[in-house]
Amino acid sequence: MANYNFKYIAIFLILISILAPRVLSVVEDCGAEEDNSCVNKSKALPLKIIAIVSILITSMIGVCLPLVTRSIPALSPERNLFVIVKAFAAGIILATGFMHVLPDSFDMLSSSCLKEHPWHKFPFTGFVAMLIPTVTMAIDSIATSLYSKKHKGGVVNPEGDQEMAVSGNHVHSHHHHGSLSTKDGLDGKKLLRYRVIAMVLELGIIVHSIVIGLSLGASSNTCTIKGLVAALCFHQMFEGMGLGGCILQAEYKFMKKAIMAFFFAVTTPFGIALGIALSTTYEENSPRALITVGLLNASSAGLLLYMALVDLLAADFMGDKLQGSVKLQIKSYMAVLLGAGGMSVMAIWA
């Protein structure tokens, strides 16, 4: 299952790189005003190179931090501190959807550059942001149900190995009453849920990351770029922490963890590089660009909000661990508010 998901992500990146020139090649200025004193392509290019390197490094740090916590007993998934950190990361993802991605989609799809019919007559952003979580929930539920029925009478390791017993961070699976178990005592159904969460969250973040990278790479406004670089570094690092926590709970093998971390780290730099390549033909106010990026943002927002509210916050706060400790619940709520509040403040700059 995971191998197919990696292939889909790779195909998605290739399609974006192929289709973006066609989508963004329509230069149709709708009268957007820009400070000419800040527009300088020669000065903007070095800033974009700095952005690629710095965002790549901070993204890698953010997504890898949770993955090394097994070597730190206080930060292992069984400890309370991990639950609090995960709640903090969920707050970041929630705010990313509500405060960053969704408003951008509303602005783009309600732009005066678009025709009155149908774009100003129907709230496409809200519709897509509502539809995507509904479809995701249906796929999530049906896939889990089919998996449970298929393997009810036997043992199948989601990694594809029938029998495995190794040390370190790898999964230990054994034939025992028709279920898969890991070294942390997770059954196959719960482990599958963690893997679905990790993959869907990664997909939502990748869409969002490519879009913001594309916008930064195509811009020649040095005043805008300078503020965005610092904000995006923090943004990607904290978002990476949330994704890294989900990857850790999914109990993937080392190679799959590395691939997922790699995809997250390179998508924004990839978007920036693609934006640089398209900077001569890109016009952010062209109808095609507004519609395409606006719908992508709405889809990404729907995925991020669903994952944050349903699979991260609701699953944890209604789970046995938090329900058994009011003190831990209060600490986790504070962590959610801190993460969401910090990411909301960043919306001032990015």
Side-chain angles (χ1 to χ4, degrees):
M1 175 182 174
N3 287 329
Y4 288 115
N5 284 326
F6 289 129
K7 290 177 184 177
Y8 293 151
I9 292 174
I11 292 171
F12 174 78
L13 292 175
I14 294 170
L15 288 175
I16 285 287
S17 63
I18 294 173
L19 297 177
R22 295 184 63 185
V23 171
L24 304 175
S25 62
V26 180
V27 180
E28 187 176 321
D29 194 355
C30 293
E33 295 182 1
E34 192 169 34
D35 187 356
N36 291 328
S37 64
C38 292
V39 178
N40 190 317
K41 288 189 176 182
S42 60
K43 289 183 179 180
L45 184 59
L47 293 175
K48 295 174 188 178
I49 302 300
I50 293 172
I52 290 175
V53 175
S54 57
I55 291 174
L56 178 64
I57 293 172
T58 52
S59 296
M60 189 62 73
I61 291 173
V63 74
C64 288
L65 273 177
L67 301 181
V68 300
T69 56
R70 285 203 181 278
S71 59
I72 306 173
L75 290 175
S76 66
E78 297 80 22
R79 299 298 183 91
N80 290 345
L81 183 57
F82 180 83
V83 176
I84 295 171
V85 172
K86 188 180 175 184
F88 173 78
I92 290 171
I93 293 169
L94 184 65
T96 299
F98 272 122
M99 299 299 295
H100 294 257
V101 190
L102 203 57
D104 286 346
S105 179
F106 273 114
D107 288 343
M108 290 175 181
L109 296 182
S110 61
S111 172
S112 59
C113 300
L114 300 181
K115 293 180 179 179
E116 184 73 17
H117 298 278
W119 301 103
H120 291 196
K121 297 295 183 181
F122 186 79
F124 282 96
T125 293
F127 177 73
V128 173
M130 173 193 68
L131 183 64
I132 292 297
T134 306
V135 173
T136 303
M137 181 178 64
I139 294 172
D140 191 356
S141 175
I142 294 171
T144 304
S145 178
L146 291 175
Y147 175 86
S148 299
K149 289 182 179 179
K150 184 177 180 180
H151 305 302
K152 188 175 182 180
V155 180
V156 174
N157 186 342
E159 289 287 357
D161 299 325
Q162 291 294 328
E163 188 74 31
M164 181 168 55
V166 292
S167 60
N169 295 338
H170 294 179
V171 174
H172 290 237
S173 59
H174 307 279
H175 291 273
H176 182 66
H177 300 296
S179 63
L180 171 71
S181 63
T182 69
K183 70 185 187 65
D184 290 328
L186 296 177
D187 57 41
K189 188 174 180 179
K190 193 170 185 180
L191 186 61
L192 178 67
R193 288 288 305 120
Y194 284 145
R195 290 178 179 175
V196 170
I197 290 169
M199 293 307 303
V200 174
L201 181 59
E202 171 122 348
L203 180 61
I205 291 175
I206 281 178
V207 173
H208 168 54
S209 296
I210 289 180
V211 168
I212 60 176
L214 187 64
S215 299
L216 176 60
S219 176
S220 297
N221 190 317
T222 56
C223 300
T224 302
I225 294 173
K226 288 176 182 177
L228 276 176
V229 173
L232 287 177
C233 284
F234 284 104
H235 178 280
Q236 291 298 107
M237 184 172 69
F238 289 132
E239 202 169 54
M241 289 173 63
L243 177 62
C246 292
I247 295 174
L248 177 64
Q249 286 191 314
E251 292 285 352
Y252 285 117
K253 293 180 180 179
F254 172 78
M255 183 55 67
K256 289 181 181 178
K257 289 179 182 177
I259 291 173
M260 292 186 74
F262 171 79
F263 269 114
F264 169 76
V266 302
T267 45
T268 301
F270 171 79
I272 295 173
L274 186 61
I276 293 172
L278 299 174
S279 59
T280 56
T281 58
Y282 176 82
E283 174 52 57
E284 63 181 3
N285 290 313
S286 69
R288 286 189 186 178
L290 288 169
I291 293 169
T292 304
V293 177
L295 292 176
L296 281 174
N297 273 335
S299 302
S300 178
L303 280 174
L304 293 175
L305 295 177
Y306 173 82
M307 299 309 298
L309 291 171
V310 178
D311 283 330
L312 297 178
L313 293 176
D316 283 350
F317 278 94
M318 300 307 293
D320 294 337
K321 193 176 186 67
L322 281 174
Q323 285 295 307
S325 173
V326 175
K327 185 177 180 181
L328 183 58
Q329 281 190 55
I330 294 173
K331 290 180 179 178
S332 298
Y333 276 122
M334 294 301 293
V336 172
L337 293 174
L338 183 61
M343 189 57 71
S344 297
V345 171
M346 285 187 189
I348 298 173
W349 301 281

